[in-house]
Amino acid sequence: MLTGIISSLLNFNVYLPQLAHQNPILVYGILFALIFIETGLVILPFLPGDSILFLVGSLSTLSFNALNFLLLVVLLVPAAILGDFVNFEIGEHFGPVLSSSRWGTKLISRDKMEKSQNFFDKHGASAIILARFTPIVRTFIPFLAGMSHMQYAKFARYNAVGGASWIILMLLAGTLFGAIPLVKQNFELITVGIVFISILPMMVSTLRNKTKQQG
């Protein structure tokens, strides 16, 4: 069963267009759940949010109108914002237990937590917005914000701006570039490129830190 789920996620560019044509309402529900889970559950940071948003943005431009761009925005912006709120609450109430207990460290990668903590320390409150565009980190940042007891109203403002910006910009990228024949023919490579570009700043920062430590 787990293998089937992983296979589906890795081949969503094949399955999702077919399902969107057959049952768009179901797809809207699946997309809401995926965005909410990726941003709301700190133990599931690996879902391909950027690639999914790019793909559904491109699907909204197709002639058979399987998905509506405005409806995607109306559904997915709240999903992203609500997910971060839930993650914030988890971090605030259960963060110390999850980050220090033996079973908690098995669920949450300590290495990714440390990288996300460095990101949060470096950018402060603006990390709530910036992290939206960095896979893995965007799942841990609201959790860390909750652990640090960030002022709720302040978090809410940054969360709303970050969630709306991420969803709208990634969907727009799909609508603008997804219909290009070259992109359609090489969609797998494009999605890998999206993920790589997203994590590139984090990789550069990690290399710099290692270089300083060695020096």
Side-chain angles (χ1 to χ4, degrees):
M1 182 177 179
L2 181 60
T3 303
I5 293 173
I6 294 173
S7 176
S8 297
L9 287 173
L10 293 175
N11 295 283
F12 66 88
N13 59 302
V14 176
Y15 301 130
L16 194 58
Q18 298 173 357
L19 188 58
H21 183 62
Q22 297 168 0
N23 194 339
I25 294 177
L26 177 61
V27 170
Y28 285 125
I30 292 173
L31 293 173
F32 184 96
L34 284 173
I35 296 301
F36 176 81
I37 290 171
E38 183 186 2
T39 55
L41 298 183
V42 71
I43 61 173
L44 294 172
F46 51 80
L47 295 178
D50 292 329
S51 301
I52 287 175
L53 291 172
F54 185 86
L55 174 60
V56 297
S58 67
L59 291 180
S60 69
T61 66
L62 297 179
S63 58
F64 58 79
N65 292 322
L67 299 173
N68 180 273
F69 180 85
L70 291 179
L71 187 52
L72 287 169
V73 172
V74 169
L75 283 174
L76 300 185
V77 168
I81 294 173
L82 288 172
D84 262 25
F85 273 128
V86 169
N87 212 342
F88 180 89
E89 292 291 341
I90 293 173
E92 185 173 40
H93 297 290
F94 307 106
V97 175
L98 287 173
S99 61
S100 60
S101 65
R102 180 178 297 180
W103 60 270
T105 53
K106 289 181 179 179
L107 294 173
I108 302 173
S109 169
R110 185 173 294 277
D111 179 57
K112 292 182 176 63
M113 276 285 288
E114 290 177 354
K115 290 179 180 178
S116 300
Q117 184 67 60
N118 292 335
F119 187 93
F120 188 60
D121 292 340
K122 179 179 180 180
H123 297 286
S126 61
I128 306 299
I129 297 175
L130 297 174
R132 290 286 190 173
F133 300 90
T134 307
I136 308 296
V137 172
R138 66 168 155 260
T139 306
F140 286 100
I141 289 297
F143 179 81
L144 292 171
M147 280 186 64
S148 65
H149 301 289
M150 177 184 284
Q151 184 182 8
Y152 195 80
K154 186 176 185 179
F155 173 80
R157 291 195 300 271
Y158 283 88
N159 179 26
V161 173
S165 300
W166 177 49
I167 296 296
I168 293 172
L169 288 176
M170 291 306 301
L171 289 176
L172 281 175
T175 61
L176 292 174
F177 302 106
I180 299 175
L182 181 63
V183 174
K184 285 183 177 181
Q185 295 167 8
N186 300 278
F187 193 82
E188 292 84 356
L189 293 176
I190 297 296
T191 52
V192 171
I194 292 171
V195 174
F196 178 76
I197 292 172
S198 298
I199 65 174
L200 187 59
M202 190 174 179
M203 294 170 60
V204 172
S205 177
T206 301
L207 288 172
R208 284 179 178 175
N209 291 334
K210 286 185 178 180
T211 302
K212 288 181 180 179
Q213 292 174 359
Q214 292 174 356

